[in-house]
Amino acid sequence: MNNLLIAQSGGPTSAINATIAGAISCAFSSKKVDHVYGAINGIQGVFEEKFVDLKEKLESEKDFRMLCQTPSAALGSCRFKLGDLKKDKEQFETIIKIFRKHDIKYFIYTGGNDSMDTVDKLSAYCKENGIDDIVVVGAPKTIDNDLTEIDHCPGFGSAAKYIATTFAELERDCHVYDTKAVTIVEVMGRNAGWLTAASALARVAGGKGPDLIYLCEPVFSIPKFLEDIKKKMEDHPDIIVAVSEGIKDENGVYISEHVQAGAKDAFGHSIISGAGSVLENIVRKELGCKVRSVELNLMQRCGAHVASGTDIEESRMLGMKACQCALDGETGVMAIMTRVSNTPYEVTFGSVPVSKVANKEKKVPMEWIHENGNDVKQELIDYMLPLIQGEVSVMYENGIPKHFYLY
Amino acid sequence: MNNLLIAQSGGPTSAINATIAGAISCAFSSKKVDHVYGAINGIQGVFEEKFVDLKEKLESEKDFRMLCQTPSAALGSCRFKLGDLKKDKEQFETIIKIFRKHDIKYFIYTGGNDSMDTVDKLSAYCKENGIDDIVVVGAPKTIDNDLTEIDHCPGFGSAAKYIATTFAELERDCHVYDTKAVTIVEVMGRNAGWLTAASALARVAGGKGPDLIYLCEPVFSIPKFLEDIKKKMEDHPDIIVAVSEGIKDENGVYISEHVQAGAKDAFGHSIISGAGSVLENIVRKELGCKVRSVELNLMQRCGAHVASGTDIEESRMLGMKACQCALDGETGVMAIMTRVSNTPYEVTFGSVPVSKVANKEKKVPMEWIHENGNDVKQELIDYMLPLIQGEVSVMYENGIPKHFYLY
């Protein structure tokens, strides 16, 4: 028996299920594979042998379509990092023992840079120990768009489309009054500003988009931020600001941390708040006008009802590619996309050694950010625009999108 | 010349532009009306004579469709309340003078209970002063669903659909880990819990929906809230809670106010936060598990990309009805919908004296809320369900919804 096991890891996205849908359908149609299993809660579910037989779950093309429109990891996720190859050898031995028990020959792991570390270590362990009949392959995903070696990450396009759509709507909302008001919208991204940059895409259908955009790559200066707002207000009263959650001062300290460090509630407990909320309090104090902060929070990573058609299609293709790599015996690789042309937009699919990706981070290049640090350049918009094209024809039931359950 | 003037007021919704689209198209096709003007920023724009000629703006059916899919007041809004009929007589004289100057015979005002106060006072002023050639009509809207005399408010269905869709997605997001975690989602509604109740609609397509739902109508008890969570956690680790921003303790004090009353930031300034954030800190302290709070914030009132087809259609019909009332000389009325049947769902359109609506508030009936105060009953779900049915075929440009600008 040659079985294939697939699992998901890391933070949820709107496209990660399209990736497993692609891999699973590829495995279903291959003569090399007998059973296709899903591990529940990532590598943790492997240790616990929490497996589901996916042929019993996914029976029709409609099931696959519904899985593709389901946000977040349908197989569950975990935040489990494998230990050291030498020191924690028994961890790896346990996994191989479980694989042998269930005749797992192919293992596909979808996730971000932490998850690629798992793929890297497990495939390295197999190589070092002469285990050549188990193939381990990575399939990328992360809304953060911070994986190296790949043009862009599956899941980013859908999050970007949600963010752009939401900023366009917030602009309409903030525009209705003619009084001075600042709306600060905090977007996810601790170390890379890609998602915050996507707010600029609110401008591509006729709207003005955010007035100011602060990514987490440049140093963030509070006095300059206040000056930027005052200057924009000379032109119009309703100001919309996009900020990365990870904006930092000149010492590399998160704005959210250092300003709010002493914040206590009525019981004397520390108050945890985001960069947007910190800036809201500063604007209220310094400028005295109406101000509010908005967090796009979890919604930006699970807003599958407005997923990007391009993203879902590419994610499914990448899943297929990852499965194909596995069936071809390519171990220790991650499936990738390369952009061969921007107009017309075209990508090709391939693979790279996962060691090139694991634990690395791709930030927004400084040359794509405006010198003033308060907006993005056209090159960045050109890079992102193709990724939000196309809409998914979502299946609704009783007025809300229908989701698919694998466990 | 007999001209018609239309304006919008109060907080934005995803359906308020469908209402003016209906009224405007009705006016365009009537022989009784010469010019159709829009006042920018509500009644404030009337005082400032900030008028646009709508025939110059809306030229095709496509323009009307795009207006219908545009969230928030396309004519702008205001928070201006007219003064006393006797004491502030000159305010009313000014308005009538401006109406005479521009040959305004029909005035349609869309908004919530505050805006209906404007319609009520202005029509009363006309009656008291023998002005019988100016007709003033109200067209309702509010996501809060708190207007009396109408089965449900235009705008509520779309906000409810956004909320239900988002809760279904958040459930998937929170479900991926198998560790104990509480997610508290704050929904708009200071005095009426309709929007929070809509979170229960996340259950209608197979999902489990929120584990606990707290509307602002019953008294909110913090110890009971903690007990409720502990009890739910015996069943599964990932708990999702929906709370109205306006939940209050047994003394009628907002939870957000009294608990956080002493909260100060590092500079000694008071910190303003919502009910969800207050409860987040309490859960962290008392239960010690992972906890986060999420605010649906402005997104819930402007998420037009996932508007309810039923809501947009009804809003347009109500706008037409309001215009028809005006053309028929019915002054001092508000257009309404009455539900004549729930299965199949059917409404009829009519009108009531606006004095019955102005400054009144319709709360969720206590008999539709679970006795434990932590969920809604089937009757409330049955009432809401038809209102979120159907999707709008949104026009996209470059990957995001296209909006229409009237100024």
Side-chain angles (χ1 to χ4, degrees):
Chain A
M1 295 273 267
N2 293 323
N3 300 330
L4 183 142
L5 179 68
I6 188 162
Q8 298 173 301
S9 178
T13 81
S14 291
I16 188 170
N17 291 327
T19 299
I20 63 163
I24 295 166
S25 64
C26 175
F28 277 6
S29 66
S30 168
K31 285 179 185 162
K32 291 185 178 177
V33 181
D34 295 300
H35 290 284
V36 182
Y37 297 119
I40 306 302
N41 297 124
I43 195 75
Q44 200 180 303
V46 173
F47 285 111
E48 296 165 9
E49 295 176 64
K50 278 163 68 180
F51 297 153
V52 289
D53 187 329
L54 293 168
K55 266 241 169 80
E56 290 171 10
K57 298 283 176 179
L58 289 153
E59 294 177 346
S60 66
E61 176 54 26
K62 196 183 162 199
D63 289 346
F64 275 99
R65 268 188 59 209
M66 210 186 289
L67 178 59
C68 286
Q69 73 171 42
T70 300
S72 305
L75 288 170
S77 181
C78 67
R79 294 273 188 203
F80 189 98
K81 221 171 163 174
L82 287 178
D84 184 78
L85 272 179
K86 300 271 179 286
K87 276 191 277 183
D88 306 292
K89 216 177 160 184
E90 71 286 356
Q91 259 191 352
F92 297 90
E93 285 166 358
T94 305
I95 294 173
I96 299 301
K97 209 175 285 173
I98 292 166
F99 280 7
R100 294 287 181 216
K101 180 176 165 192
H102 296 275
D103 295 317
I104 308 295
K105 180 158 182 172
Y106 310 105
F107 179 52
I108 299 175
Y109 207 42
T110 62
N113 20 34
D114 281 351
S115 314
M116 291 311 124
D117 178 73
T118 299
V119 174
D120 191 27
K121 283 179 177 159
L122 194 55
S123 57
Y125 175 83
C126 290
K127 274 180 204 164
E128 284 178 20
N129 293 277
I131 302 165
D132 57 5
D133 59 342
I134 290 178
V135 183
V136 184
V137 172
K141 74 87 208 139
T142 169
I143 58 163
D144 293 328
N145 201 40
D146 61 352
L147 293 179
T148 60
E149 303 292 325
I150 188 166
D151 179 74
H152 57 278
C153 299
F156 172 66
S158 293
K161 192 180 182 92
Y162 174 90
I163 291 165
T165 297
T166 302
F167 267 88
E169 290 173 342
L170 289 174
E171 179 209 319
R172 300 308 309 237
D173 190 285
C174 297
H175 183 60
V176 298
Y177 299 111
D178 66 347
T179 46
K180 282 189 181 181
V182 178
T183 305
I184 301 163
V185 187
E186 183 184 317
V187 185
M188 279 184 174
R190 293 285 284 175
N191 300 314
W194 297 106
L195 289 169
T196 309
S199 66
L201 296 173
R203 296 172 186 149
V204 300
K208 72 179 169 67
D211 294 287
L212 297 161
I213 301 174
Y214 300 96
L215 311 191
C216 48
E217 281 81 0
V219 166
F220 186 85
S221 151
I222 291 171
K224 194 182 156 298
F225 163 73
L226 293 168
E227 278 313 308
D228 286 350
I229 291 177
K230 278 192 235 168
K231 209 166 163 192
K232 286 282 172 185
M233 269 193 177
E234 288 170 13
D235 183 55
H236 56 277
D238 52 312
I239 305 297
I240 302 185
V241 184
V243 291
S244 289
E245 63 174 323
I247 47 168
K248 299 168 207 74
D249 68 13
E250 69 275 20
N251 300 314
V253 178
Y254 288 112
I255 295 300
S256 54
E257 280 177 15
H258 80 129
V259 178
Q260 204 81 341
K264 303 267 186 223
D265 72 8
F267 301 128
H269 303 108
S270 290
I271 289 175
I272 295 165
S273 71
S277 158
V278 168
L279 295 178
E280 177 190 339
N281 285 317
I282 292 172
V283 169
R284 185 172 292 115
K285 181 188 156 222
E286 300 293 335
L287 304 185
C289 63
K290 182 182 170 186
V291 56
R292 61 193 157 192
S293 62
V294 174
E295 273 186 66
L296 298 190
N297 220 311
L298 305 181
M299 289 81 85
Q300 65 200 295
R301 70 181 192 190
C302 64
H305 67 278
V306 65
S308 153
T310 298
D311 184 32
I312 298 301
E313 182 57 25
E314 288 179 347
S315 298
R316 199 165 175 172
M317 293 290 286
L318 265 171
M320 286 184 184
K321 179 69 194 173
C323 181
Q324 202 51 59
C325 288
L327 299 180
D328 290 347
E330 280 192 66
T331 194
V333 299
M334 181 185 88
I336 59 158
M337 279 182 287
T338 306
R339 191 181 314 210
V340 289
S341 161
N342 204 40
T343 41
Y345 173 71
E346 198 189 330
V347 291
T348 56
F349 298 89
S351 64
V352 289
V354 73
S355 55
K356 286 189 168 182
V357 183
N359 305 309
K360 294 196 178 70
E361 224 174 28
K362 183 174 74 181
K363 298 191 178 198
V364 177
M366 289 302 279
E367 58 268 29
W368 283 1
I369 302 169
H370 197 282
E371 286 74 17
N372 281 335
N374 61 19
D375 211 330
V376 302
K377 288 194 186 164
Q378 189 59 40
E379 290 92 322
L380 183 42
I381 292 179
D382 292 343
Y383 162 84
M384 295 185 293
L385 190 57
L387 315 182
I388 65 163
Q389 300 308 305
E391 288 75 50
V392 174
S393 172
V394 175
M395 287 177 279
Y396 281 78
E397 183 173 286
N398 284 321
I400 68 165
K402 178 91 179 142
H403 296 156
F404 198 80
Y405 287 78
L406 286 175
Y407 71 99
Chain B
M1 296 273 268
N2 292 322
N3 301 329
L4 183 142
L5 179 68
I6 187 161
Q8 297 172 302
S9 177
T13 82
S14 290
I16 188 169
N17 290 327
T19 299
I20 65 164
I24 295 165
S25 63
C26 175
F28 277 6
S29 65
S30 168
K31 287 181 183 159
K32 289 184 177 176
V33 181
D34 295 301
H35 290 284
V36 182
Y37 298 119
I40 307 301
N41 297 121
I43 196 74
Q44 199 180 305
V46 173
F47 285 111
E48 295 165 10
E49 294 176 65
K50 277 164 67 180
F51 297 153
V52 289
D53 188 328
L54 292 169
K55 267 244 168 76
E56 290 171 10
K57 299 282 176 180
L58 289 153
E59 294 178 344
S60 65
E61 176 55 24
K62 196 181 161 198
D63 290 347
F64 275 100
R65 267 189 58 208
M66 210 185 290
L67 178 60
C68 286
Q69 73 172 43
T70 301
S72 304
L75 288 169
S77 182
C78 67
R79 294 275 187 200
F80 189 99
K81 220 170 162 175
L82 287 178
D84 184 81
L85 272 178
K86 299 272 179 288
K87 278 190 275 181
D88 306 291
K89 214 176 163 185
E90 71 287 355
Q91 261 191 352
F92 297 89
E93 285 166 357
T94 305
I95 293 173
I96 299 301
K97 209 175 283 172
I98 291 165
F99 279 6
R100 294 289 182 216
K101 181 177 162 191
H102 296 273
D103 295 317
I104 308 294
K105 180 156 183 175
Y106 310 105
F107 179 53
I108 298 175
Y109 207 41
T110 62
N113 22 33
D114 280 351
S115 314
M116 291 311 123
D117 178 74
T118 300
V119 174
D120 191 30
K121 282 178 177 160
L122 194 55
S123 57
Y125 175 84
C126 289
K127 274 180 203 164
E128 284 177 19
N129 292 277
I131 302 165
D132 57 5
D133 59 343
I134 289 178
V135 183
V136 184
V137 173
K141 75 88 209 141
T142 170
I143 58 163
D144 294 327
N145 201 39
D146 62 350
L147 293 179
T148 60
E149 303 292 326
I150 188 166
D151 178 74
H152 58 278
C153 299
F156 172 67
S158 293
K161 192 182 182 93
Y162 174 91
I163 290 165
T165 297
T166 302
F167 266 89
E169 290 174 341
L170 289 174
E171 179 208 319
R172 299 309 307 237
D173 191 286
C174 298
H175 183 58
V176 297
Y177 299 111
D178 65 348
T179 46
K180 281 188 181 181
V182 179
T183 305
I184 302 163
V185 187
E186 182 183 317
V187 185
M188 279 183 173
R190 295 284 284 175
N191 301 315
W194 297 105
L195 289 170
T196 308
S199 66
L201 296 173
R203 297 172 186 150
V204 299
K208 71 179 170 69
D211 295 287
L212 297 161
I213 302 174
Y214 301 97
L215 311 191
C216 50
E217 281 82 357
V219 166
F220 186 85
S221 151
I222 291 171
K224 194 183 155 300
F225 163 72
L226 293 168
E227 279 312 307
D228 286 350
I229 291 178
K230 278 191 237 170
K231 209 167 165 191
K232 286 281 173 186
M233 269 193 178
E234 289 170 13
D235 183 54
H236 56 277
D238 52 312
I239 306 297
I240 303 184
V241 184
V243 290
S244 289
E245 63 174 322
I247 47 168
K248 298 170 209 75
D249 68 12
E250 69 276 19
N251 300 314
V253 178
Y254 287 112
I255 295 299
S256 54
E257 279 178 15
H258 79 130
V259 180
Q260 205 79 343
K264 304 267 186 226
D265 72 8
F267 302 127
H269 302 110
S270 291
I271 289 174
I272 295 165
S273 70
S277 159
V278 168
L279 294 179
E280 177 190 340
N281 285 316
I282 291 172
V283 170
R284 186 172 292 116
K285 183 188 156 224
E286 300 293 336
L287 303 186
C289 63
K290 183 181 169 188
V291 55
R292 59 194 158 191
S293 62
V294 174
E295 273 187 66
L296 298 189
N297 221 311
L298 305 180
M299 289 79 86
Q300 65 200 294
R301 71 183 192 189
C302 64
H305 67 277
V306 64
S308 153
T310 298
D311 184 31
I312 298 300
E313 182 57 27
E314 288 178 347
S315 298
R316 200 165 176 172
M317 294 289 288
L318 265 171
M320 287 184 184
K321 179 69 195 176
C323 181
Q324 202 50 57
C325 288
L327 299 179
D328 290 347
E330 279 193 66
T331 194
V333 299
M334 181 185 88
I336 59 158
M337 279 182 287
T338 306
R339 191 180 314 210
V340 288
S341 161
N342 204 41
T343 39
Y345 174 71
E346 200 190 330
V347 292
T348 56
F349 298 89
S351 64
V352 288
V354 73
S355 55
K356 287 187 167 183
V357 183
N359 306 310
K360 294 195 177 73
E361 223 172 27
K362 182 174 72 180
K363 299 191 178 198
V364 177
M366 289 302 278
E367 58 269 27
W368 282 1
I369 302 170
H370 196 281
E371 287 73 17
N372 281 334
N374 60 17
D375 211 329
V376 304
K377 287 195 186 164
Q378 189 58 40
E379 291 92 321
L380 183 41
I381 292 180
D382 293 343
Y383 163 83
M384 295 185 293
L385 190 57
L387 315 182
I388 65 164
Q389 299 308 306
E391 289 74 52
V392 174
S393 172
V394 175
M395 288 177 277
Y396 280 79
E397 183 173 287
N398 285 320
I400 68 166
K402 178 94 179 138
H403 296 156
F404 198 81
Y405 287 78
L406 286 174
Y407 71 101

